[in-house]
Amino acid sequence: MSRAALPEATEPRFLKKSQTPFDGSGGSALKTSLAAASLIVGAAAFFYAFWLTSRFEPVPGGVSMSADRLARRIAVAEERLKTDPENIELLTRAGELHFQAGPAEYATAINELEDALDLGALNPSIFYDLGVMYQSEGLYPFALKEYDRYLRHFPHATDVAMRKAKLLYEAGRYEEAADEYADLLRGRPSDPLLKENLALSLWRAKKGDEAKQILSQMMASGRNRPEAIRARYYMGRIAFEEKDFAGAQTAFESCAAQGGVPGPGIGPADLARDLAKTYQALKKYRDAAAQWKLVLAQDPKDKQAAQAVRRYARYLVARPTTHGRRRSRRRG
């Protein structure tokens, strides 16, 4: 599985020109200018911030609303910010609304939420929102930092811990991902998704024996349930990498006999492609040709499949034997 290269942990490209990097050093001039005021209203600000934090639902995600209603709320928030640009509650609300508006508004949302943090916002849901947006923008180190900050407030937020583990895997930090999934599995020992993700992380961390042990247990306990079929498929992938082509064939054919691999992330073309490559390795070219044809039917733009179908064209055409043709001529 290929993994995109991680962007370096530098300043995000959509920062405002007047904004400093998000490393905790920004906003010093602003903090200095507010020092006198903070001395006067320090106690009140503290209790206001505490109230502000407690009034937000500490569960990731916002309330779903129609596009028109969301647009109206964004317009109201933006208009109020024009006259009160350093209002923590307004900045937080505007950032949340832009976050709900989707990826096209993430740059604006990030700037608003970071401004709110610089001004002293204490709402921990900000960390979740920023993590999701940084992850979407491919800024993995920033996303991981925000997820960690959220988990310090809510260490049992398994959905966020799952996001962190998945992000570590996508970043190619497989051993760290395995550690995260192992921690999650201790709290939910029967969760098949966690078991599968732990096995995949161990496999990519070059700990194939541990991965196979988990997958074998899933196959034994799950029988013909979806998680068992998926475990069998990954056992086939591992066997193929280890050049155990006969073992890979057995695993993949079993999945095909059960109608494919259920669940997300694995399509019919993937299984057919794996079978095609396995048959090729075993020099079963007629079977390989048939599987490549299935791949091409699923994905007509697959160049590898198209080349293979052309290469093995003779195996896809049923031709009478030479002996049969000579016999028919005699009868004529």
Side-chain angles (χ1 to χ4, degrees), residues 77-85:
E78 289 177 341
E79 189 64 27
R80 292 178 64 188
L81 278 173
K82 289 179 181 178
T83 57
D84 195 2

Side-chain angles (χ1 to χ4, degrees), residues 72-92:
R72 288 196 299 271
R73 290 198 172 189
I74 289 175
V76 170
E78 289 177 341
E79 189 64 27
R80 292 178 64 188
L81 278 173
K82 289 179 181 178
T83 57
D84 195 2
E86 295 177 0
N87 185 308
I88 295 175
E89 185 176 7
L90 276 178
L91 282 166
T92 303

